[in-house]
Amino acid sequence: MVNEAIIWAIFLLPLGSFAFAALVVRPFFNRFSLISGLATIAGLGTALGFSIWTLRSVILGHDSEFEPIEWLEVGGASIDFGLLIDPLTAVMLIVVTGVSLLVQIYSLGYMKGDASFSRYYAYMSLFTAAMLGLVLASNIIQLYVFWELVGVSSYLLIGFWHERPAAAAAAKKAFIITRIGDVGFLIAILYLFTQADSFAAAGLNAFHIPDIWEAAQPEAIAAGALLSGGVLTWVALGIFAGAAGKSGQFPLHTWLPDAMEGPTPVSALIHAATMVAAGVFLVARFFPVFEHSTDAMTVVALVGAFTAVFAASMGLVMNDIKRVMAYSTVSQLGYMMAALGLGLYAPAIFHLVTHAAFKALLFLGAGSVNHATGTFDMRYMGGLRKVMPVTYVLVLIAGLALVGIIPLAGFWSKDEILLGAWGGTGLVDTWVSRVTFSALLAGVILTAFYTIRMIILTFHGEFRGGIDRELEEKAQAAPVGASHNGGVHLAESPWVMLLPMLVLGVIAVLVGYLANPQWTEEIGIPRHWITGFLGDGLQAARDIHEHAGTLDFSRWMATVSTVAALSGIGLAVLLYQRRRDQRTDLVERVRPVHTLLSQKYYMDSLYENLIVRKGFYKIVAGFTDWIDRNLVDGIVDLIGWFFRNIGTAIGKFQTGQVQAYATGIAFGVLAIILALLLA
């Protein structure tokens, strides 16, 4: 059995690493900044060991209920800090600590020589600690505190190179857009606060997450109608609004591709195991609430399905390798959200696990090719498989896992989502399941196309000059202020960068075997282990004491998804493999389509011009400015005029003559006496 101190240590170790790097190394020992990286890695390694121990304890069914620490008493509800340990928590702890550890090891090589090395590790440690605190939270207020801390940490990391205008703008954009979503989440929490007395009367705490689950169950609704009908739907949609902001779901997705302005390891962590995963985790954490609202589930499913196709289409034309992966992340998060909306709780979390492995590997691979070429623009890459064979093989494995090619990890999780979408779960209307399935299947084709396009442009053909050629062409286009600093050194990345990639490559191959392969029982792993494990945890949350059902492997669905993937692969190979000039894209020939996709459906322009400039600046800001100038300033001016004139009037009585003052006093005394007599 794992004790409470060990679980708290999972959160406190990266938090301690943050304090050590920020308060000790950076101000006093910055010459030895490597210490901050080593301390972070040591802390995360220990946290990963404790996370594995926690997972083992949950698998064995040990008691994992711990007494919370009371913080505040508000009305009929207490706000406390506690631990919620269930299968979802145990799996997420492994994902967060495992991926974070590998990214931090990789960063030793990638960030080597950066003047702010200690600051980088301090921010990364704080980011990881915030995510772990979010995962462990048993109270929705506690969860919200760490939810916002994740947002603050992401702001610091995206804008890490804040001297670059693009990085500073991206950080502000991410912070503002995710805050918009968080307003919905906050409103849901405030509603729960207004119901604190009702919850208390039913013996529940309005802020305690298991009690919120219980309040949404049919039995509780029948007894006290705590969360039912339209109220339940709006609470669920408020929670989903927060999740949509963090996980980049339409229409709050525009910040996520711009977040690529941060260091590549930051992108790997944000897009694989922390920030964007937080949104999916939030919906999964409150799934016992969502599942009792058909309307909320429908919204989640359709938004997720649309996002999956919408984002994938933009990935078709991007030239920046990190932006291709960014849109890929948005698309895959759409798969997870769509699965949750359909009621496919376990397959959604399983896809989160597999996605964390292969997407982290893809981003680290992007960092590796950037290390060699000095650029992220695929138009200036090419031919890298000859000089970077290890990176090429690993990126190819991760890319095929993303596409969903058997037997790699992505195939098993994506196949379960497609199979569940086709069959339906009964939680939403059949048409919702069919529309979602069609969108997700189309997403498979698009994913295969942009992934193979990315691999061909990056690794195949002939090398096209890297950053040297890019800067040369930019200097010719705009010679004033242009500089040429070089940065190409075609060679495999150092082993400190390759080792984490190799580990992720192995995981991307093998983690799928925790789900569906027919022969797992022969090596001691039950069929559908991970989905069954997660499903049983959900059943326990709903107080159902029976084994959760799982989806059997479907050969026909595997065939359909594989054919869809191969069609996208084949089209990409046909269009890009034998082309000599890779700096122009064939999709550009279809000018209107290419323009629409490359301009990201003009969503950024829409937000900037219509909402920000015309909506906010002209209407909201203009209206408040009018109120300030005419109402507020008018009232202040009126008060000033009044007292100024009163002063002038009173000043006329200040004659300096004692006789006049004595007369005034006499009349005043007489007036008082008269008033008393008449009273």
Side-chain angles (χ1 to χ4, degrees), residues 13 76 102 116 119 127 159 201 210 236 243 276 307 375 456 470 489 504 528 549 631 633 653 662-663:
L13 281 166
L102 294 172
S116 299
R119 178 165 65 90
F127 194 32
V276 298
T307 302
T375 183
I456 292 173
E470 183 180 0
H489 47 279
L504 287 169
H528 311 294
L631 188 61
D633 288 352
F653 292 97
T663 302

Side-chain angles (χ1 to χ4, degrees), residues 27 103 108 141 252 284 287 330 389 409 432 483 505 508 591 618 628 657:
V103 169
L108 289 176
I141 303 296
L252 301 178
F287 188 83
V330 177
V432 176
S483 63
R591 180 60 62 179
K618 289 189 176 182
D628 181 63
Q657 297 179 358

Side-chain angles (χ1 to χ4, degrees), residues 183-502:
V183 170
F185 188 17
L186 181 60
I187 291 173
I189 294 174
L190 291 175
Y191 174 79
L192 292 173
F193 172 70
T194 65
Q195 300 301 306
D197 292 338
S198 299
F199 273 73
L204 303 174
N205 187 328
F207 298 140
H208 191 53
I209 293 175
D211 287 355
I212 298 172
W213 298 342
E214 187 174 343
Q217 301 307 305
E219 301 80 14
I221 293 172
L226 296 176
L227 289 177
S228 61
V231 168
L232 178 65
T233 297
W234 284 112
V235 169
L237 290 177
I239 295 171
F240 176 64
K246 281 286 194 294
S247 290
Q249 299 299 285
F250 179 87
L252 301 178
H253 66 282
T254 58
W255 70 269
L256 212 155
D258 289 350
M260 298 301 99
E261 294 295 336
T264 299
V266 171
S267 303
L269 197 55
I270 287 178
H271 285 249
T274 51
M275 187 171 177
V276 298
V280 177
F281 170 82
L282 184 68
V283 175
R285 175 59 83 207
F286 289 95
F287 188 83
V289 175
F290 279 84
E291 67 176 343
H292 295 294
S293 172
T294 301
D295 292 337
M297 294 285 281
T298 299
V299 170
V300 174
L302 294 179
V303 168
F306 178 78
T307 302
V309 178
F310 184 71
S313 67
M314 287 181 281
L316 300 175
V317 299
M318 295 295 144
N319 294 315
D320 186 304
I321 188 172
K322 288 175 64 176
R323 286 187 175 268
V324 175
M325 296 177 191
Y327 283 111
S328 170
T329 298
V330 177
S331 178
Q332 296 305 305
L333 290 167
Y335 275 84
M336 301 172 206
M337 285 294 187
L340 288 170
L342 295 177
L344 303 169
Y345 171 87
I349 302 304
F350 180 39
H351 193 54
L352 187 154
V353 173
T354 62
H355 177 263
F358 60 70
K359 185 54 58 70
L361 177 54
L362 282 171
F363 272 106
L364 298 188
S368 185
V369 299
N370 171 254
H371 187 266
T373 65
T375 183
F376 289 108
D377 195 325
M378 296 183 295
R379 293 172 296 181
Y380 301 96
M381 297 180 184
L384 297 183
R385 64 174 178 171
K386 303 172 185 176
V387 293
M388 306 179 70
V390 177
T391 298
Y392 170 66
V393 171
L394 292 172
V395 170
L396 183 62
I397 290 172
L400 293 177
L402 169 62
V403 171
I405 299 299
I406 193 170
L408 303 176
F411 168 81
W412 303 108
S413 55
K414 193 174 291 186
D415 186 72
E416 285 214 346
I417 292 174
L418 290 172
L419 182 61
W422 177 258
T425 60
L427 295 179
V428 296
D429 294 336
T430 302
W431 72 267
V432 176
S433 297
R434 292 287 188 266
V435 169
T436 302
F437 172 80
S438 301
L440 298 183
L441 190 63
V444 171
I445 300 172
L446 298 178
T447 301
F449 182 90
Y450 68 66
T451 302
I452 301 304
R453 170 182 176 267
M454 176 192 70
I455 292 173
I456 292 173
L457 292 180
T458 304
F459 293 98
H460 291 244
E462 300 297 326
F463 182 60
R464 295 183 292 277
I467 188 64
D468 292 345
R469 183 64 181 275
E470 183 180 0
L471 291 176
E472 181 183 334
E473 293 188 359
K474 287 181 178 179
Q476 293 173 355
V480 179
S483 63
H484 182 85
N485 55 11
V488 176
H489 47 279
L490 297 181
E492 193 62 87
S493 297
W495 279 103
V496 73
M497 295 172 63
L498 287 178
L499 183 60
M501 294 172 62
L502 286 167

